[in-house]
Amino acid sequence: MAIALLSLRQAEKVEPQLRAALKSAPAPAAQAATQAKPATRDLAQAGLSARERLALRDGSPAEAAAALNARQYVQQIIAQDRELTRNQMIWALGRIEPGEIEAMLKSLAKMRGRYASLVLEYSQTERPVGRQALEELRGLRERIEEFERGLETIKAAILDGTAEVHGVKAART
């Protein structure tokens, strides 16, 4: 079906013909049902209303958000967040060399050892621990926590297949 721009005079002549053609054409709903894509049928089976399916089919995120209930919308956000994070992790990490992991583990071990020795050292003195010493301990503890959190993130990425370690078989999902 082609779309044409008509002048007002041309539109007056064509309008009766268009109305007649629309009346004789099969109903759009019936035609759409016979030509439904598998994804549309899946949405219908998922319990979405016609309005929700139409908004999702049209692809407008704003319309789709308005058509979904709160739970469905949050599920959509979670799925999108997972996919975007996965793609970013694949891009950012790429292939990890085992030496990179070892260097991170050595650095983390050094920080832990330094932290433990400082705590032990400060606990042996009779004097109160100064503000500068406490700041040093706090900063070291925060760095340790960040490295530990980063290590957990990398381990999870390796297990779920978003990060590849050179020489290590990918985890089966």
Side-chain angles (χ1 to χ4, degrees), residues 158-159 161 163-165 168-173:
I158 292 168
L159 288 174
E164 183 181 327
V165 179
V168 176
K169 290 183 182 178
R172 305 254 179 196
T173 54

Side-chain angles (χ1 to χ4, degrees), residues 46-65:
L48 297 177
S49 70
R51 184 175 72 108
E52 293 166 337
R53 291 191 312 271
L54 181 61
L56 288 173
R57 187 196 73 199
D58 290 343
S60 168
E63 291 173 2

